Amino acid sequence: MDAALELATQRTVEADDLMLLKHVDTYGYVCHGHECGIQVFPRSYRPENLQRPHFSLPKGATHEPNCDVKGEDELRSRGKKGSIAGELETSPGLSPASLRLVDTRVVVSPLATAVGGNSHSGSRSTTPGEARHKPAGRRAANSIRPICRAFLEFPYDRHLPLHIDRINTTTYQTVFKRLRGEGIKAFPQQRIFYEKLAWGVAQESEEGLLIPLDAGEWENKLLVRPYRVLVRWADWSQTARTRLRNELELARRENMAADKAKAEKKTFLFFIGAQNPNELSQFVVSDQRLICSAHGELFFPKQK
Ligand SMILES: [Zn+2]
């Protein structure tokens, strides 16, 4: 499972976000499915783990009969072959409807404020127990990660609405923009940009972390001017930095292995960032919730 209900906050949390916590309460999570609540355990959440974090049920345990999360894996495999829009509409976590940056513990950069906008207008406080009993539906995400995963996982359902403040398009299909390798271009409109990660290692400097992408300007089959993402992480905790470094290293290895095996699945970097007007090959990201990698097959069904 990629997400679970955190008992202390009564919020659904992404397994990937566990790495940001100073202390993970092993017994603090239950299944977020409707009418379920079975205990689940966080796995592989330490920054040094080179496997993606997840939640798992105790050995031999099963979800409650009416749990809507237990069918998620089955839905995922169906979603690769055709539209499952009806199921996604009533499923809590598979296809978020919006991005809502509500966690004020994180230092919000000017860019994040511009993107996250009126974060408090939507943050209704939930009383304990309420989260588990509210009707299931497409919820808001607290980072771009589950949104990017849904973009890759449900190619036939990219017509579903997706609202992100300061992005003026409103569906999965149109909110995402691939950078591509046809030269460096200006992108005047904010989008969730994405591209395959390069094999090269990200470089650390006083400015932050510079991540090379496998696209940009080519000359004689050589990438002479790649797009790069500069992560300004001066305000980030040590844990958050370690987590991104490790995630990138894991992603780089995934891509090298995929290329060697000629596999269709690749690892992409996704981000909401500001393009540097003086160096269009560079995008700047400051908020850790606005950058992530995701591994999967990028597939576009033929238009009817
Ligand atoms: Zn369950």
Side-chain angles (χ1 to χ4, degrees), residues 149-215:
R149 216 153 38 205
F151 173 77
L152 282 180
E153 280 180 336
F154 308 115
Y156 293 89
D157 291 307
R158 295 198 182 117
H159 58 284
L160 285 179
L162 175 61
H163 176 78
I164 295 176
D165 283 349
R166 306 297 168 104
I167 292 185
N168 60 11
T169 46
T170 54
T171 63
Y172 272 79
Q173 186 68 51
T174 52
V175 161
F176 285 81
K177 184 92 188 161
R178 190 171 184 175
L179 295 178
R180 297 190 181 279
E182 295 150 5
I184 303 292
K185 288 181 180 165
F187 295 92
Q189 305 287 336
Q190 186 61 263
R191 294 287 183 268
I192 296 181
F193 297 108
Y194 69 102
E195 188 48 76
K196 221 182 97 182
L197 273 160
W199 285 19
V201 180
Q203 309 260 313
E204 284 183 50
S205 73
E206 294 211 332
E207 277 196 299
L209 185 70
L210 197 58
I211 308 168
L213 300 176
D214 193 29

Side-chain angles (χ1 to χ4, degrees), residues 31 36 63 67:
C31 173
C36 187
H63 292 268
C67 176

Side-chain angles (χ1 to χ4, degrees), residues 1 30-38 40 57 62-71:
M1 288 162 60
V30 297
C31 173
H32 58 298
H34 191 53
E35 294 179 12
C36 187
I38 187 168
V40 293
L57 267 65
T62 52
H63 292 268
E64 291 297 316
N66 288 333
C67 176
D68 48 11
V69 169
K70 70 173 175 191

Side-chain angles (χ1 to χ4, degrees), residues 61-304:
T62 52
H63 292 268
E64 291 297 316
N66 288 333
C67 176
D68 48 11
V69 169
K70 70 173 175 191
E72 283 187 359
D73 286 343
E74 187 250 341
L75 274 180
R76 282 199 173 93
S77 53
R78 273 175 54 208
K80 284 181 177 44
K81 297 176 201 118
S83 175
I84 51 161
E87 287 89 340
L88 292 179
E89 292 284 2
T90 55
S91 152
L94 284 179
S95 165
S98 59
L99 174 66
R100 196 178 288 160
L101 302 177
V102 291
D103 193 347
T104 49
R105 284 177 299 179
V106 179
V107 178
V108 176
S109 70
L111 173 68
T113 313
V115 173
N118 53 347
S119 56
H120 41 83
S121 70
S123 65
R124 190 172 58 95
S125 64
T126 45
T127 50
E130 187 189 348
R132 215 182 302 173
H133 298 296
K134 74 182 177 207
R138 298 179 71 226
R139 67 182 165 91
N142 190 30
S143 76
I144 65 169
R145 191 180 294 279
I147 296 173
C148 299
R149 216 153 38 205
F151 173 77
L152 282 180
E153 280 180 336
F154 308 115
Y156 293 89
D157 291 307
R158 295 198 182 117
H159 58 284
L160 285 179
L162 175 61
H163 176 78
I164 295 176
D165 283 349
R166 306 297 168 104
I167 292 185
N168 60 11
T169 46
T170 54
T171 63
Y172 272 79
Q173 186 68 51
T174 52
V175 161
F176 285 81
K177 184 92 188 161
R178 190 171 184 175
L179 295 178
R180 297 190 181 279
E182 295 150 5
I184 303 292
K185 288 181 180 165
F187 295 92
Q189 305 287 336
Q190 186 61 263
R191 294 287 183 268
I192 296 181
F193 297 108
Y194 69 102
E195 188 48 76
K196 221 182 97 182
L197 273 160
W199 285 19
V201 180
Q203 309 260 313
E204 284 183 50
S205 73
E206 294 211 332
E207 277 196 299
L209 185 70
L210 197 58
I211 308 168
L213 300 176
D214 193 29
E217 210 169 282
W218 296 78
E219 239 176 63
N220 302 324
K221 294 186 176 172
L222 272 177
L223 189 55
V224 290
R225 194 176 159 215
Y227 283 109
R228 289 184 233 248
V229 177
L230 175 65
V231 181
R232 286 201 198 275
W233 62 9
D235 296 337
W236 293 24
S237 68
Q238 203 53 49
T239 314
R241 294 185 197 193
T242 305
R243 173 209 182 176
L244 179 64
R245 258 189 228 113
N246 289 352
E247 181 180 348
L248 290 171
E249 182 55 24
L250 171 66
R252 218 172 59 84
R253 290 188 201 180
E254 280 173 343
N255 262 352
M256 287 166 71
D259 280 2
K260 278 176 190 149
K262 301 211 181 330
E264 292 300 325
K265 285 187 175 182
K266 312 280 184 207
T267 303
F268 296 89
L269 188 73
F270 293 87
F271 60 93
I272 295 177
Q275 193 171 24
N276 182 344
N278 302 317
E279 177 47 71
L280 292 178
S281 67
Q282 193 183 77
F283 287 82
V284 179
V285 178
S286 316
D287 189 313
Q288 60 207 54
R289 297 165 299 179
L290 300 182
I291 183 166
C292 72
S293 70
H295 185 67
E297 186 184 347
L298 182 66
F299 172 66
F300 292 93
K302 287 202 177 70
Q303 303 279 337
K304 271 175 230 153

